[in-house]
Amino acid sequence: MLVRLLYASRLADGAGAEVVEAIVSQSRENNPANGITGVLCYAGDVFMQVLEGGRAPVNALYNRIARDERHRQVMLLHYEEITERRFGGWTMGQVNLARINPSVLLKYLEKPELDPFSVPGCASLALLEELIATAQIMGRTA
């Protein structure tokens, strides 16, 4: 059974860009073997990530992330059983929202800054889908 999980978190205090790169690199290395695909967005110290795959591997990965000292304030935003993947072309796509037109962010968020903690999970998923449609996600594997 496939599931889609969306969460947000904040980068641990004192962590920098090298931590973000390490997270992306580890995801791209480990996710294919577990059948997990998804996209990671970040801006400043905020992460938003969607994970898709089998229920057990996705849940296990989310639990590891929640315990990972590189993340704080981990919050589940959306979880659903799915019949097909929306993010199947990425082992872990990457979006740096600092490079996105602010009007795209304003379409889904209260301010032109990433704050998935203050909007419904469906709005965050819609933002990710628009970023895919406008080819603003790096790291496609397909």
Side-chain angles (χ1 to χ4, degrees):
M1 168 178 299
L2 292 174
V3 298
R4 179 177 302 117
L5 182 151
L6 175 67
Y7 77 90
S9 67
R10 295 193 184 279
L11 193 59
D13 292 334
E18 68 281 351
V19 172
V20 174
E21 290 304 317
I23 289 170
V24 171
S25 177
Q26 287 174 337
S27 296
R28 288 181 177 154
E29 183 178 319
N30 297 329
N31 288 350
N34 293 307
I36 295 175
T37 57
V39 175
L40 172 69
C41 288
Y42 61 91
D45 71 338
V46 177
F47 287 106
M48 181 173 68
Q49 186 172 31
V50 63
L51 303 170
E52 293 178 328
R55 180 186 292 161
V58 167
N59 288 342
L61 177 55
Y62 176 73
N63 286 324
R64 280 193 305 277
I65 291 166
R67 292 187 308 269
D68 190 327
E69 293 180 359
R70 300 174 295 184
H71 295 270
R72 61 185 173 87
Q73 296 179 326
V74 178
M75 181 180 294
L76 181 64
L77 302 176
H78 183 81
Y79 186 93
E80 67 180 321
E81 295 174 350
I82 58 175
T83 57
E84 63 184 38
R85 298 174 193 246
R86 289 185 189 159
F87 306 95
W90 291 269
T91 53
M92 190 46 57
Q94 180 180 358
V95 178
N96 181 345
L97 289 178
R99 298 179 183 165
I100 302 299
N101 184 326
S103 65
V104 174
L105 298 176
L106 279 173
K107 186 174 177 180
Y108 301 100
L109 304 167
E110 293 177 12
K111 298 177 184 175
E113 57 192 43
L114 183 62
D115 185 9
F117 302 100
S118 68
V119 297
C122 59
S124 296
L125 276 174
L127 170 62
L128 290 172
E129 288 174 353
E130 180 158 337
L131 295 173
I132 288 172
T134 56
Q136 297 188 57
I137 296 179
M138 302 179 299
R140 188 173 181 112
T141 62

